[in-house]
Amino acid sequence: MNRLIWVVGVLAVVALVLGGIIQAVSFLLWIAPVLLLTAILLFILKRSGGRRIPR
């Protein structure tokens, strides 16, 4: 019975850690596209440098 309590306790801790990691990863999956678009926009703005585009 004592072993069963330890196994259940360890499984609970593992489930808690995995739940936190998965939640953090899902949060990052929403943030990553926003950061990617921001980086692309900043890259384009830096490349243009305020110069006029030749016709």
Side-chain angles (χ1 to χ4, degrees), residues 3-26:
R3 245 186 193 174
L4 182 62
I5 292 172
W6 277 104
V7 170
V8 170
V10 169
L11 288 176
V13 170
V14 169
L16 181 66
V17 170
L18 285 177
I21 290 172
I22 291 170
Q23 191 173 22
V25 169
S26 69

Side-chain angles (χ1 to χ4, degrees):
M1 188 68 167
N2 201 11
R3 245 186 193 174
L4 182 62
I5 292 172
W6 277 104
V7 170
V8 170
V10 169
L11 288 176
V13 170
V14 169
L16 181 66
V17 170
L18 285 177
I21 290 172
I22 291 170
Q23 191 173 22
V25 169
S26 69
F27 173 73
L28 291 175
L29 287 175
W30 281 102
I31 295 298
V34 173
L35 292 176
L36 183 63
L37 287 174
T38 304
I40 291 171
L41 283 173
L42 290 175
F43 176 76
I44 291 170
L45 289 175
K46 185 177 178 184
R47 290 284 296 192
S48 69
R51 292 177 278 154
R52 294 181 62 194
I53 299 172
R55 291 192 259 181

